[in-house]
Amino acid sequence: RLADLIQDLDALAPVRAANRRWVLDRYPFARTGAALQEAVAAAWARPGDDAVAVHPAAWLDTLGPNFTAYA
């Protein structure tokens, strides 16, 4: 099905255009940008300390046998 959709990209152009219009009508760039700036400002305002990132592989032995069953 995916291959069929990829091959018919031109046929789906009107659908993509309608979807894009729908999103932009509801979430214009100015509104989205303002919301993002507000969220970042709120995150910066919260208390916090420096942290060290740890790759998830460091925790694999604590996650149980089914966590990586499909990996």
Side-chain angles (χ1 to χ4, degrees):
R1 179 73 180 127
L2 181 60
D4 291 340
L5 291 172
I6 291 171
Q7 289 177 351
D8 291 335
L9 282 178
D10 292 335
L12 295 174
V15 174
R16 289 194 319 271
N19 288 340
R20 181 175 173 78
R21 278 191 307 276
W22 185 91
V23 169
L24 290 175
D25 286 347
R26 284 152 185 82
Y27 307 102
F29 288 117
R31 178 179 170 192
T32 304
L36 179 58
Q37 288 176 346
E38 184 179 326
V40 169
W44 278 108
R46 296 180 68 183
D49 293 321
D50 292 343
V52 175
V54 177
H55 192 278
W59 298 97
L60 288 179
D61 60 338
T62 66
L63 297 175
N66 295 323
F67 184 78
T68 57
Y70 300 104

